[in-house]
Amino acid sequence: MDFELFVKPFPVPNDGFGSQMDFFGNLPCRQTLCKQPENLLFPVVEMHNIRGLDVIHWDYLFLVCKCRGFSASKKPHNHGDFGVKTTKLPIFAYVTNSVTMYQTGLALSGGGAKAGAHCGALKALEEFGIKPDILAGTSAGSLAAVFYSAGYTPEQMIQVFSGMSFFRDIVSPNVPKGGLFDSRPLLEHVRKHIPYKRLEDLPIPTRVVASDLELGRVKVFTEGELAPIVVASCSIPVIFNPISIDGHHYIDGGAFMNLPIPAIRDDCDKLIALNLNHLYEEDYHNSVVSVATRSFTMAVVSNTISDMPKADLLIDLNTQGATTYDMSKIGDLFKKGYASTVQALEAKGLKRINGSGRQGQ
């Protein structure tokens, strides 16, 4: 569907990020390219592509022109009819909540050590020529997301965590207060291996989901110090101490949004979701760690199910036989995640593209 847009141009600096814009028409949706309005007096002089946004550059106007399913039916008589006049803001300020900025998004669920399957899934996606433009991760899915965004290959990601023990290398004993274990070892591990200090500096835009204890709601981080944000997202309640960031205490994002589809759904045209969590039957273990983890997993699966339909492609990764804390099986999980993803993509009629994988950092 074409998009008919009426504009009233006025002079703005031609600096690539016009400091003023007169914008008539609503852009509530995504991914249908607009035509140049016939009644516009100024010719198109160049076409830009800025982080996935098609932008038409007129002599006196910068105008984002992506939409879906909207057609203006009348000319506005003044600024208040359809328009917004804004000064001294970058162009992205107008479009963050209304226009698709990215072609392909990838959401990675939590699941503890089962995230080895995420690495296999990423390998398969690469072989099929699918490379995400934006990532979202919850809990262990946030670890996979930031390592991948930082440039690690799926195989390198497995190597970084191979030979590690959860209760030796990820957490350390702790005088129980907010949690049974201290997550400082994981914090230092992330700082050691990720060459980016801040979340917003990652080459692939990445969003990390945590749960705010004070406010009682989900928190989607888009910026800030990377390592504490990731550890906050991974902090399973009762097991980990909550992580304090800017005066708020955070626990595992899975409490509200284990499959972080909503974190990026409005910003990407196509969204693939990788799910690690399934409620397989388990024997009862009479320990605080086991009961707390099993209880949390049941809650996590519940909110995961509600978000599943929002993905364009949901891939349930085979994690049977694996547990949240057993890191000895991540190599086997890599293979299972790879096989699950290949099967899902082939079922969609997709084929491998040779030589599409990464070559390393």
Side-chain angles (χ1 to χ4, degrees), residues 38-358:
E38 294 179 359
N39 64 325
L40 188 68
L41 299 177
F42 301 95
V44 177
V45 294
E46 53 183 298
M47 178 72 81
H48 296 275
N49 189 277
I50 302 174
R51 295 184 70 183
L53 290 174
D54 291 306
V55 179
I56 290 180
H57 177 195
W58 285 278
D59 282 336
Y60 299 99
L61 178 70
F62 263 78
L63 173 66
V64 178
C65 64
K66 271 195 178 182
C67 70
R68 182 186 62 184
F70 176 83
S71 178
S73 59
K74 67 171 186 173
K75 287 189 179 182
H77 297 291
N78 55 56
H79 291 174
D81 285 348
F82 297 108
V84 177
K85 183 175 181 180
T86 310
T87 60
K88 297 182 179 178
L89 288 174
I91 196 167
F92 298 118
Y94 308 108
V95 300
T96 300
N97 295 319
S98 58
V99 179
T100 302
M101 296 177 68
Y102 307 99
Q103 180 67 29
T104 304
L106 182 64
L108 298 89
S109 83
K114 291 179 281 189
H118 278 326
C119 301
L122 287 165
K123 176 67 174 176
L125 290 171
E126 286 186 347
E127 291 185 0
F128 281 75
I130 300 172
K131 299 177 182 179
D133 303 302
I134 185 170
L135 298 158
T138 296
S139 197
S142 73
L143 272 172
V146 299
F147 270 87
Y148 190 72
S149 180
Y152 281 79
T153 68
E155 294 88 349
Q156 288 170 337
M157 292 161 64
I158 290 293
Q159 291 171 8
V160 167
F161 288 92
S162 289
M164 296 180 70
S165 165
F166 185 90
F167 293 105
R168 182 191 68 221
D169 303 307
I170 300 298
V171 296
S172 60
N174 171 68
V175 176
K177 290 183 180 180
L180 296 174
F181 297 94
D182 188 337
S183 55
R184 210 167 309 167
L186 177 59
L187 185 75
E188 295 307 318
H189 193 70
V190 173
R191 284 174 172 161
K192 176 181 176 181
H193 290 281
I194 300 290
Y196 298 93
K197 187 174 181 180
R198 297 187 63 81
L199 183 62
E200 66 267 29
D201 293 336
L202 289 169
I204 302 174
T206 304
R207 297 180 184 172
V208 174
V209 178
S211 301
D212 187 319
L213 282 176
E214 280 84 0
L215 297 179
R217 65 189 186 199
V218 69
K219 170 68 174 179
V220 179
F221 286 96
T222 60
E223 61 182 11
E225 189 179 352
L226 187 149
I229 289 172
V230 171
V231 175
S233 180
C234 293
S235 295
I236 300 171
V238 181
I239 309 304
F240 285 72
N241 279 329
I243 300 296
S244 178
I245 300 173
D246 296 332
H248 285 246
H249 294 83
Y250 295 95
I251 60 169
D252 197 301
F256 286 106
M257 192 191 295
N258 186 62
L259 189 59
I261 295 170
I264 55 173
R265 174 66 277 183
D266 290 340
D267 294 321
C268 54
D269 182 46
K270 300 296 182 185
L271 193 151
I272 300 170
L274 304 178
N275 178 42
L276 298 172
N277 288 100
H278 315 89
L279 270 180
Y280 299 118
E281 186 175 335
E282 287 184 7
D283 292 333
Y284 174 75
H285 298 282
N286 190 23
S287 73
V288 173
V289 170
S290 178
V291 172
T293 302
R294 183 67 170 171
S295 300
F296 185 63
T297 300
M298 289 189 285
V300 157
V301 169
S302 178
N303 72 57
T304 296
I305 291 171
S306 67
D307 284 330
M308 283 178 173
K310 301 170 187 174
D312 294 297
L313 175 60
L314 172 70
I315 303 177
D316 274 314
L317 303 179
N318 178 10
T319 60
Q320 192 161 12
T323 66
T324 301
Y325 308 118
D326 185 2
M327 300 183 68
S328 68
K329 297 180 179 179
I330 60 174
D332 181 55
L333 284 162
F334 181 97
K335 296 175 184 177
K336 288 183 175 181
Y338 176 86
S340 298
T341 305
V342 168
Q343 182 180 19
L345 296 175
E346 289 181 341
K348 289 287 185 180
L350 301 177
K351 299 184 183 299
R352 286 184 177 86
I353 299 174
N354 292 330
S356 62
R358 293 187 182 193

